[in-house]
């Protein structure tokens, strides 16, 4: 019986984009449709569009039969935002609430980077190792024995985390200083802008990680692990017998 080909690894970028598109991008588009096309009030359109990510998160938690901390926190932010928006009748609060969702993801990334378990690395590893045992082993050795590698992991995750936190700040400021009708579409521009900033800021760290894995993989049969630290002045050159 022929084996089914393994599914390609999910890009770390997609791991970040997918929940944000589902929980922020689509609800914003739905809000615009409900208000501008169907004629619902701004606050009602924003509240109804916020129900979608709540349903999606609950369905995900039920199907997995486990509570993911990040998903649970996003569910809490969403439901609290809906409740406060209905009670206060404040459409600006409903807009600002969506910024809180991206900030939850961003702050979780920042925390994970300083906690020594960068979130984005979990998605980056299968992409760069391509499922090959020798490359996976090289990654594992680097993550344990190379401070330079760990700094690159931390930097890549921080690039994404801080970009999303910055997007949240811009969205909250805009929600209370610009017309709500403007923020409904401008919020999407802020989110896309955060992605562009994260791509640019994270690229050097991504390239560094990839190069270190390639080097360690190439030399894995000769030296395990190789010294990937920056040599101090006066240190003798490292040679491989």
């Amino acid at each position: 019986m022929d084996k089914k080909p393994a599914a390609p690894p999910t890009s770390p970028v997609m791991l970040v984009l997918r929940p944000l598109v589902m929980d922020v991008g689509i609800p914003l588009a739905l809000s615009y449709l409900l208000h501008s096309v169907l004629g619902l009030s701004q606050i009602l359109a924003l509240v109804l569009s916020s129900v979608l990510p709540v349903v999606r998160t609950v369905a995900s938690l039920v199907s997995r039969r486990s509570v993911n901390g990040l998903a649970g926190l996003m569910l809490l932010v969403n439901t609290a935002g809906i409740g406060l928006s209905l009670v206060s009748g404040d459409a600006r609060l409903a807009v600002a609430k969506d910024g809180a969702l991206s900030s939850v993801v961003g702050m979780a990334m920042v925390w994970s980077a300083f906690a020594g378990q960068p979130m984005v690395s979990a998605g980056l590893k299968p992409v760069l190792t391509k499922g090959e045992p020798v490359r996976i082993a090289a990654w594992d050795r680097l993550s344990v024995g190379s401070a330079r590698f760990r700094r690159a992991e931390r930097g890549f995750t921080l690039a994404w985390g801080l970009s999303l936190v910055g997007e949240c700040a811009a969205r909250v400021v805009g929600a209370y200083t610009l017309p709500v009708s403007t923020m409904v579409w401008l919020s999407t521009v802020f989110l896309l802008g955060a992605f562009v900033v994260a791509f640019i800021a994270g690229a050097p760290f991504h390239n560094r990680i990839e190069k270190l894995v390639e080097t360690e993989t190439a030399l894995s049969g000769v030296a395990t692990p190789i010294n990937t630290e920056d040599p101090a002045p006066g240190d003798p050159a490292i040679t491989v017998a």
Side-chain angles (χ1 to χ4, degrees):
M1 182 182 295
D2 295 335
K3 293 182 179 180
K4 293 182 179 180
T10 302
S11 163
V13 174
M14 287 306 299
L15 292 176
V16 176
L17 292 183
R18 188 176 298 155
L20 289 176
V21 169
M22 293 295 294
D23 293 337
V24 179
I26 292 178
L28 283 174
L30 181 59
S31 171
Y32 181 82
L33 175 67
L34 292 173
H35 176 64
S36 300
V37 178
L38 299 183
L40 298 183
S41 68
Q42 189 75 74
I43 183 63
L44 183 57
L46 288 167
V47 168
L48 289 177
S49 64
S50 297
V51 173
L52 178 62
V54 170
V55 172
R56 190 188 78 84
T57 304
V58 170
S60 177
L61 293 176
V62 171
S63 64
R64 294 177 182 176
R65 298 183 180 180
S66 63
V67 179
N68 176 279
L70 181 58
L73 187 56
M74 293 181 73
L75 176 62
L76 177 62
V77 171
N78 249 319
T79 53
I82 292 174
L84 290 173
S85 298
L86 286 173
V87 171
S88 66
D90 188 358
R92 295 184 182 277
L93 177 61
V95 173
K97 179 264 302 175
D98 288 329
L101 292 177
S102 56
S103 74
V104 166
V105 179
M107 287 187 290
M109 288 181 179
V110 172
W111 178 85
S112 72
F114 287 109
Q117 296 180 325
M119 282 178 59
V120 184
S121 290
L124 185 61
K125 181 178 179 179
V127 174
L128 295 186
T129 59
K130 303 174 183 177
E132 299 175 10
V134 65
R135 297 173 71 90
I136 294 173
W139 178 293
D140 292 340
R141 288 194 299 272
L142 288 167
S143 66
V144 172
S146 173
R148 186 181 179 193
F149 182 82
R150 291 192 296 272
R151 285 196 300 270
E153 283 188 291
R154 187 183 305 118
F156 187 68
T157 297
L158 283 174
W160 279 92
L162 292 176
S163 296
L164 293 176
V165 171
E167 184 269 341
C168 167
R171 191 193 296 262
V172 171
V173 170
Y176 288 98
T177 57
L178 298 174
V180 173
S181 58
T182 299
M183 279 303 300
V184 168
W185 63 263
L186 188 59
S187 293
T188 303
V189 176
F190 285 160
L191 188 59
L192 293 175
F195 291 158
V196 171
V197 171
F199 271 116
I200 295 174
F205 300 106
H206 176 282
N207 295 338
R208 191 174 307 158
I209 292 171
E210 184 175 28
K211 184 177 180 181
L212 288 169
V213 171
E214 292 286 351
T215 302
E216 176 68 14
T217 300
L219 298 179
S220 60
V222 182
T224 306
I226 64 170
N227 185 351
T228 54
E229 308 300 330
D230 298 322
D235 283 354
I238 297 173
T239 58
V240 178

